Amino acid sequence: MLLGIAVAFVSTSIIEKKATSNNMDINTARFMAYAAYQRAKESIINSNALYQDIYPVDTSRNLDDEERADLIANLETVITSSETTDTYIVTDTGITWSYQQSTDNEPNRWLSRLSYAAMADPDTPEAKEAFWIPSSASDTTIDDSELYHRFDLMNYTWDEATVTSFLGGDTINFDDNPGATTSTVIPWLKNWEDFGDMGSATAARNQIIANLIDYCDSDSAATTDYDGVTSPTYVGLEKCPYINEIVLKCYVYVSYVGSSSGGPGFRLRLYVTPSVEQVNLYDESASQKVEVDVTAMYTITFSWYSGSWPTCEESLAATSPDTTVTTNSKSYSASTMEEFYGATVSSVSDNIFFQVSSFRITNITVKLFDSSNNLQDYSIVLDSPVTCDEANVSGGFGHSATSPVFFLRYEANDSRQNLLSNDWTYSTTDSSLGSDNSNFNPNPGGDTDAEPTATHPWEISTAYIADTNMQSAAELGYIHRAKAFQTINLKTFNDTEGLLDTAGGNAYADGDANILDQVKLDTDISRNEYINLNSRDRYLFSSLTELYGEGISTETAVSALNIARPLALYQSRASILANSDLADVPLELSSILYPVQETDTEREQVIGDVITGCEAMNQSYFIIGLGESFRDVVNYKQYDADIDIVSSSQKVLTKMQKTIGSDSSKVVEFQYLSD
């Protein structure tokens, strides 16, 4: 479909040329127009027929290609129908005219007119479904040995994928592996450098890859390294409710129980009643088993009526019984679980008094499982001691002691990023169970996604899990970036990282659009239907934005492409989104490409669809030059359209190519055309 659109636009569009520009295209076109004039002049002199209509011998080959013939006819029509002038000008149709005066002596007075037009080549050479890894930062010439198969988002076996298997994949060289159709890893993710909220680049990378796998696979089990014992370092985002808030109602009870040595013994119990809030961002209700683990430490000292006080440092662990909770679509659930306790027994002979001090909760962990006992979410809400002075009680032989009730409240900001304790905030306010958390702010500005319309978690535009293979590269923008309210940023190309084999995701503001060069959506290794971003026909690009970008006018898109076009050609399709804050790169197009879109998803839908419909190929274009001679019958040094008659003319057709990494153009085809 895109090819048809491209041809349609080419057949009616002429590229504007600026006479004051140093652009190589203009210099070449002027040269060719002058060459046409010289040919016509030579024909006149050789024929000794200055005042007669003489046409040059046909030296052109037959043009069998209909598109080529239509293109030539279109250019000729524009040239011959344009108004004339006596100076170099550039009209809206992109034609430059010049007049030459041969002599002041009548009757050998004559005029020559030079004119040209240029147009993008409508032919779309086959493009490899490949991305370029230059050999060094200074490498500007694309060699076939530096091209690699793109990763096939649509046909990768996501149901079998793990973080380890994904990272074990390879970038497959395009030429060296003729039987291959896809690389098996995305370098931008494998080389990830940003820490996010995970504490290290490795942890963030693993979390993002797990999120990608769980976005695409069909099961309900989170991709994780959890082994049932040790806390995981990553838990992928499945389409399920997430842990969003927890409130612990606690108190301590100490009682005398005797000891194995015959002396007094004391049991300390920590009673916990948890209330857990889950939030469902999605459009399907879900039932999950909730488990809460709490550990604590404290100091207990003993004494007789007089004498020293032996001191013990003790710990306890408490695990809740399984509780099943159902969370409706796009809503909260807040359940108060059954009270449970953890206990320790202290046995110190000949002591009848005790005192508890330095009581502290050291760990709070919440887990969610599906009905098949697959882990779906895991939160280390607390992993450093919190002192609870209310639990410091004392008593003696034959007596028990109960502490006052105390509460611990913790809230997540972005429930999609809730694995580690730094993702949780201790709340001193009353519980917000069943409503938005006090720290919930989905649109804080700065280096986060744009979510101006979200007031509840399920209104976040990127809160979406497909549970199937991607149908558009724009869906990469749904993948959470392991930091609150950040997803993969397709809006900006990271020019600092560039295209090197070490390039990987870094700061959110720098952008992740580089990933769009490395992915595709089918098994094909080449294609013909695409828009060449290096084409001089700006309307090809604007036609694509009209297809995918609601509210984007052709005029706006053309203006955007003009502003953003660098002097050199784009080296990759994603580099059109290079960050404007970096030196010597084009302006960021994203703000122009989505003038009416507000949310992150709306913006990246345009970017992903447009860019993956494009390629950055060598730029080919046609130049047609026309040289004409006129007898200057009246009005010396002035062309009179109805009186001064063409005595001879010559057209020249040249196909030029500008190569990526080169500042010059080369002649691919050159031919004289007959009328």
Side-chain angles (χ1 to χ4, degrees), residues 386-464:
V386 172
T387 300
C388 306
D389 292 335
E390 298 91 338
N392 295 334
V393 295
S394 60
F397 175 74
H399 298 279
S400 61
T402 303
S403 76
V405 173
F406 57 95
F407 291 87
L408 296 174
R409 301 181 180 91
Y410 292 90
E411 297 175 320
N413 184 6
D414 183 355
S415 61
R416 299 169 297 175
Q417 182 64 31
N418 66 359
L419 173 60
L420 302 179
S421 61
N422 56 279
D423 300 320
W424 290 83
T425 301
Y426 178 75
S427 175
T428 58
T429 63
D430 291 338
S431 167
S432 61
L433 291 168
S435 61
D436 295 336
N437 289 346
S438 61
N439 63 343
F440 174 68
N441 182 10
N443 193 46
D447 294 340
T448 60
D449 294 344
E451 299 292 346
T453 61
T455 57
H456 303 295
W458 48 85
E459 294 173 348
I460 296 171
S461 68
T462 55
Y464 177 75

Side-chain angles (χ1 to χ4, degrees), residues 166-413:
F166 184 90
L167 290 172
D170 295 313
T171 50
I172 308 299
N173 184 270
F174 197 91
D175 284 347
D176 291 346
N177 296 274
T181 61
T182 178
S183 288
T184 52
V185 72
I186 302 175
W188 188 254
L189 299 182
K190 185 174 183 177
N191 298 331
W192 197 263
E193 300 174 49
D194 188 46
F195 284 24
D197 287 333
M198 301 297 293
S200 72
T202 297
R205 177 200 65 190
N206 293 347
Q207 179 64 55
I208 294 167
I209 293 172
N211 292 343
L212 173 62
I213 293 171
D214 286 337
Y215 179 93
C216 297
D217 68 15
S218 59
D219 62 32
S220 62
T223 298
T224 180
D225 58 349
Y226 181 56
D227 59 6
V229 179
T230 306
S231 295
T233 62
Y234 59 87
V235 179
L237 293 175
E238 275 292 348
K239 189 176 183 179
C240 66
Y242 305 129
I243 305 159
N244 195 51
E245 183 178 359
I246 182 168
V247 177
L248 298 184
K249 175 184 176 182
C250 307
Y251 67 93
V252 168
Y253 175 73
V254 184
S255 61
Y256 173 77
V257 294
S259 70
S260 59
S261 62
F266 297 90
R267 174 190 288 127
L268 184 146
R269 287 181 175 178
L270 170 65
Y271 285 87
V272 179
T273 304
S275 297
V276 178
E277 177 187 83
Q278 293 142 263
V279 59
N280 191 347
L281 311 182
Y282 309 112
D283 53 7
E284 298 176 5
S285 63
S287 295
Q288 296 167 298
K289 291 188 293 183
V290 184
E291 181 181 302
V292 178
D293 296 323
V294 179
T295 60
M297 294 191 70
Y298 58 93
T299 300
I300 186 167
T301 57
F302 301 93
S303 71
W304 191 245
Y305 289 103
S306 63
S308 62
W309 286 68
T311 300
C312 300
E313 185 78 3
E314 297 182 342
S315 63
L316 60 83
T319 299
S320 68
D322 288 343
T323 301
T324 299
V325 177
T326 298
T327 310
N328 293 327
S329 64
K330 297 184 177 181
S331 65
Y332 296 106
S333 65
S335 58
T336 298
M337 302 170 66
E338 181 181 340
E339 182 182 75
F340 62 95
Y341 66 85
T344 57
V345 175
S346 300
S347 178
V348 180
S349 299
D350 301 325
N351 291 283
I352 61 172
F353 294 104
F354 70 88
Q355 180 173 340
V356 176
S357 61
S358 301
F359 191 95
R360 53 212 183 270
I361 303 293
T362 56
N363 182 275
I364 303 171
T365 300
V366 185
K367 309 166 193 174
L368 300 180
F369 300 89
D370 67 9
S371 58
S372 299
N373 214 37
N374 296 309
L375 182 72
Q376 290 193 314
D377 199 14
Y378 193 110
S379 293
I380 306 169
V381 178
L382 176 70
D383 62 359
S384 58
V386 172
T387 300
C388 306
D389 292 335
E390 298 91 338
N392 295 334
V393 295
S394 60
F397 175 74
H399 298 279
S400 61
T402 303
S403 76
V405 173
F406 57 95
F407 291 87
L408 296 174
R409 301 181 180 91
Y410 292 90
E411 297 175 320
N413 184 6

